[in-house]
Every structure is written in C-alpha cells, then in structure tokens.
Amino acid sequence: MPKMDRINERILHELSQDGRISNIELAARVGLSPSACLRRVQELEQSGVIRGYRAVLDPRKLGIGFTAIVAVGLNRHTKAAQEDFERKMAAAPEVKECHNVAGAVEYFLRVEAADLAAYKRFHTETLGTVEQVQSITSYVVMGSPKDLRA
C-alpha cells in the first residue's frame, strides 16, 4: 500500500477532479517530475487505491428524468436471500447503485428512469416481483446539490 503523504493526496484530488489530465499537467500541479508522478500514479493504481477512471454522464441528455432512492426491506435475512436479491438488482438496468445497509431496511437503491411512468413499471414489474422483498419505500430525488460520484 502506498504511503498516503501530501503529494499522493494531491494526486488523488487532481485525478478525482479530472481523470483525463495529462501526466505532464498533473506533475506540474503536484510539484513532481513527470516520471516521478507517473510512478506514483501507477503505484496508486496497482495497489487498488485508484480503482478506475470513468466518464461522468448527464442523465437528462440520455433521457433519464427521474431518480429515486429506494429503501428495500427483505422478508428473509439469509445469505441466499440477499445474494438472490443482489443478483436481480445487478441485472436491472434502472438500478445504478445497490447498497446493503444496517438499520430498519436491508438495502438502499439509486434508481434512474426516463420518467415516473417508467419508474412505476420498474417498481411493479421488477422490484415488486422479487419474492424476498417485504417493503419498498421510494424517495423521489428533487435535486442533488452535492454529488461527488464520478
């Protein structure tokens, strides 16, 4: 595991802001030579600190106009029930995130759909047909003033 010194923290900050920054520009911003900077980035990648790079998409331009956070309670609390539920959520294209949580419910989902009608179809035809599901509470996202997901 690489040492998390100030330079590595600055590298991570810069890459989290712009994953397509050139190594030369990154090196200049963090005060390293390009070769030393590249060595550190590769070390951060190989150790798994940097898991990958991705494009940040605009959901509206992709026809996604509805987002909900969905709390899901299960009727069985077995490993098999959880694994089956997770497989079904992984296969559902509307489910962008699935988090197993501690508390009053077992899962929080972030679900994106074209509109309310499309979400209702997902709610009824996908989530509502999963036998382990005991409760579904939908929270409609009205805005996201802070969203650091890349």
Side-chain angles (χ1 to χ4, degrees), residues 42-118:
Q42 289 171 337
E43 187 177 85
L44 290 164
E45 290 170 344
Q46 290 167 356
S47 69
V49 172
I50 297 174
R51 296 188 335 196
Y53 301 88
R54 57 182 68 130
V56 178
L57 309 177
D58 185 336
R60 292 170 302 202
K61 293 189 178 180
L62 297 171
I64 306 293
F66 184 91
T67 302
I69 305 300
V70 183
V72 180
L74 301 185
N75 57 20
R76 291 192 316 267
H77 299 95
T78 64
K79 182 176 182 179
Q82 287 185 333
E83 288 173 346
D84 187 50
F85 176 80
E86 290 171 8
R87 267 192 304 279
K88 289 174 179 167
M89 294 306 99
E94 300 88 349
V95 177
K96 303 303 180 189
E97 295 178 37
C98 177
H99 303 278
N100 183 221
V101 298
V105 296
E106 283 71 45
Y107 289 91
F108 282 131
L109 310 176
R110 185 173 59 82
V111 178
E112 294 180 350
D115 53 27
L116 180 58

Side-chain angles (χ1 to χ4, degrees), residues 130-148:
V130 178
E131 67 178 275
Q132 298 89 344
V133 173
Q134 177 176 308
S135 65
I136 303 169
T137 305
S138 301
Y139 300 91
V140 176
V141 175
M142 297 176 63
S144 299
K146 182 175 183 179
D147 184 349
L148 298 179

